[in-house]
């Protein structure tokens, strides 16, 4: 199997990797930077091993840029656009990739054209697995029998990009971030990574089930999609959250309806949801950073305000939490 990303306007290959079954099973990590152009910066972190390819990429471009993305062989793809306004180009026209959404597909031998407009930073994360790797990874997981996506893969029924997609939730966001960013201890990283991949597919299954089970009862179908998009946008931007006004403008919904339907959908206000996200992240930072550093990472301008919020949320201060 082979994967390649080529930037047309600068005739640069961002990455070109073989993740076939002939290569060594060890996990190889690489970082790629393109900074030789005044109008373009691209940073890419890659992890690759036998049957597995993981990538996280950031683009900052002052001109439109086109990425020709090629994958050979039969593969499963899980991808997430955290920031940007990218479009998938085909003979049928332009199709927005959708910021804040998880896309799952099962396909083979594809060449995709992705356009990224000028002056809109792009951040995406993606995991590619060979069919053999995927089936081996989940062969002992009893829950997969209930997964419609898994059934398509077992039956060889290809699911094109976009056939399975939904707004990300915090669980998926956290797992995907760990998979793409975590620097595991070299002796154990393969095992931890496989556990996180299993957790990723299980969480995807739960999200699909929730999506189809009528969670948004009492909200119009049109507004339901906008509320889920707002939810996903907050997950990506909780460290520097938007105002209600700007969030409403982002999802094309009036402020009152946004606040009302968000609480109906998720059982809490937007402000409470942002605090919950910040506190979940804060707990994961304990012991790794000072309290001042944690406050800065989470977007708090006042350290005492951060400490007070943490204590109200957990019943103890960050410093006390280190001893728990």
């Amino acid at each position: 199997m082979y994967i390649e990303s080529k930037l047309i306007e600068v005739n640069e290959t961002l990455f070109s990797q073989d993740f076939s079954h002939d290569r060594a099973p060890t996990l190889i990590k690489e970082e790629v930077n393109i900074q030789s152009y005044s109008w373009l910066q691209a940073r890419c972190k890659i992890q690759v091993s036998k049957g597995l390819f993981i990538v996280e990429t950031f683009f900052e471009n002052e001109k439109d840029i086109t990425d020709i993305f090629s994958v050979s062989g039969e593969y499963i793809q899980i991808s997430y656009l955290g920031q940007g306004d990218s479009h998938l180009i085909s003979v049928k026209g332009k199709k927005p990739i959708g910021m804040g959404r998880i896309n799952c597909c099962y396909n083979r031998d594809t060449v995709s054209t992705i356009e990224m407009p000028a002056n809109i930073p792009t951040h995406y994360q993606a995991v590619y697995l060979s069919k053999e790797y995927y089936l081996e990874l989940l062969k002992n997981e009893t829950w997969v029998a209930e997964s419609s996506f898994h059934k398509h893969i077992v039956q060889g029924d290809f699911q094109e990009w976009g056939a399975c997609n939904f707004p990300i939730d915090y669980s998926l966001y956290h797992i995907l971030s760990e998979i793409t960013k975590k620097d595991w201890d070299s002796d154990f990283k393969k095992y931890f990574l496989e556990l996180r991949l299993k957790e990723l597919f299980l969480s995807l299954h739960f999200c699909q089930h929730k999506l189809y089970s009528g969670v948004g009862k009492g909200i119009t179908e049109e507004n339901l999609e906008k509320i889920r998009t707002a939810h996903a946008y907050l997950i990506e931007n909780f460290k520097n959250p938007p105002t209600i006004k700007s969030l409403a403008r982002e999802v094309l919904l009036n402020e009152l309806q946004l606040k009302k339907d968000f609480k109906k959908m998720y059982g809490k206000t937007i402000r409470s949801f942002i605090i919950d996200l910040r506190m979940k992240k804060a707990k994961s930072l304990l012991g790794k950073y000072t309290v001042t550093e944690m406050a800065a990472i989470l977007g708090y301008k006042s350290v005492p305000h951060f400490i007070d919020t943490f204590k109200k949320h957990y019943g103890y201060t960050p410093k006390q939490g280190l001893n728990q």
Side-chain angles (χ1 to χ4, degrees):
M1 297 187 68
Y2 193 79
I3 191 164
E4 180 182 86
S5 171
K6 188 170 184 179
L7 306 179
I8 297 302
E9 286 77 6
V10 293
N11 194 30
E12 293 260 13
T13 299
L14 189 59
F15 51 79
S16 181
Q17 289 282 348
D18 172 15
F19 63 110
S20 69
H21 285 269
D22 296 328
R23 69 172 295 141
T26 54
L27 188 67
I28 306 299
K29 298 172 66 173
E30 292 184 18
E31 291 193 15
V32 180
N33 290 284
I34 296 178
Q35 298 178 324
S36 51
Y37 303 89
S38 61
W39 60 274
L40 171 66
Q41 289 191 25
R43 294 181 289 114
C44 186
K45 181 179 178 181
I46 296 165
Q47 300 177 75
V48 59
S49 69
K50 184 178 178 180
L52 176 66
F53 181 84
I54 300 167
V55 61
E56 179 176 32
T57 303
F58 298 86
F59 285 103
E60 292 186 16
N61 47 296
E62 296 175 3
K63 302 177 184 178
D64 293 351
I65 194 81
T66 309
D67 187 354
I68 304 298
F69 210 98
S70 309
V71 188
S72 68
E74 205 167 339
Y75 67 92
I76 290 88
Q77 172 189 344
I78 309 297
S79 56
Y80 168 59
L81 180 66
Q83 188 176 16
D85 188 27
S86 303
H87 285 73
L88 190 66
I89 310 302
S90 69
V91 292
K92 299 178 182 178
K94 284 188 177 184
K95 183 176 183 179
I97 290 178
M99 186 177 69
R101 302 187 72 85
I102 286 277
N103 274 280
C104 312
C105 86
Y106 162 51
N107 217 329
R108 69 171 300 152
D109 299 332
T110 59
V111 179
S112 304
T113 302
I114 301 168
E115 283 189 357
M116 292 168 279
N119 301 312
I120 301 179
T122 299
H123 169 222
Y124 77 82
Q125 297 161 288
V127 178
Y128 292 83
L129 309 90
S130 69
K131 184 174 181 177
E132 292 82 1
Y133 184 100
Y134 169 86
L135 293 176
E136 179 65 23
L137 178 74
L138 300 180
K139 67 179 182 181
N140 295 321
E141 303 297 310
T142 57
W143 61 265
V144 296
E146 301 175 11
S147 168
S148 58
F149 184 60
H150 179 76
K151 290 175 184 176
H152 285 300
I153 295 170
V154 171
Q155 295 167 4
D157 178 18
F158 293 129
Q159 298 290 293
E160 294 186 356
W161 187 93
C164 175
N165 78 90
F166 41 84
I168 199 167
D169 69 1
Y170 183 78
S171 173
L172 276 171
Y173 175 82
H174 179 69
I175 296 166
L176 194 57
S177 293
E178 284 210 318
I179 288 171
T180 56
K181 297 177 182 177
K182 192 71 175 181
D183 292 322
W184 303 108
D185 183 283
S186 58
D187 293 333
F188 300 102
K189 61 186 176 184
K190 181 177 181 293
Y191 305 104
F192 278 116
L193 185 56
E194 287 181 352
L195 285 172
R196 286 294 176 265
L197 287 170
K198 290 178 182 180
E199 192 177 3
L200 174 64
F201 283 105
L202 179 58
S203 294
L204 286 168
H205 173 61
F206 284 154
C207 280
Q208 281 184 292
H209 179 72
K210 186 189 294 184
L211 197 63
Y212 300 139
S213 63
V215 174
K217 187 176 180 181
I219 305 173
T220 67
E221 186 174 343
E222 181 182 1
N223 284 1
L224 180 59
E225 182 65 18
K226 292 177 180 180
I227 294 301
R228 284 176 172 148
T229 300
H231 182 259
Y233 189 85
L234 290 173
I235 287 171
E236 180 69 26
N237 296 281
F238 68 88
K239 296 175 188 176
N240 184 27
T243 62
I244 300 292
K245 185 176 182 179
S246 61
L247 181 61
R249 195 163 49 236
E250 182 73 32
V251 299
L252 304 177
L253 195 63
N254 73 66
E255 294 178 48
L256 183 61
Q257 196 68 51
L258 171 62
K259 291 190 286 187
K260 178 183 175 183
D261 284 353
F262 191 96
K263 188 171 183 180
K264 188 184 293 184
M265 178 77 173
Y266 297 107
K268 59 185 68 178
T269 65
I270 291 173
R271 183 176 180 276
S272 295
F273 179 63
I274 292 169
I275 291 172
D276 283 351
L277 291 175
R278 282 175 154 177
M279 292 303 101
K280 284 178 182 178
K281 183 65 177 178
K283 201 167 187 180
S284 73
L285 298 176
L286 284 175
K288 301 174 185 176
Y289 299 92
T290 66
V291 173
T292 300
E293 289 171 337
M294 288 168 64
I297 289 170
L298 295 168
Y300 284 93
K301 295 179 182 179
S302 166
V303 176
H305 177 47
F306 164 65
I307 294 172
D308 184 54
T309 304
F310 190 98
K311 187 174 182 178
K312 285 179 180 177
H313 199 83
Y314 290 115
Y316 51 85
T317 66
K319 188 175 181 180
Q320 291 168 339
L322 291 172
N323 301 320
Q324 299 223 358

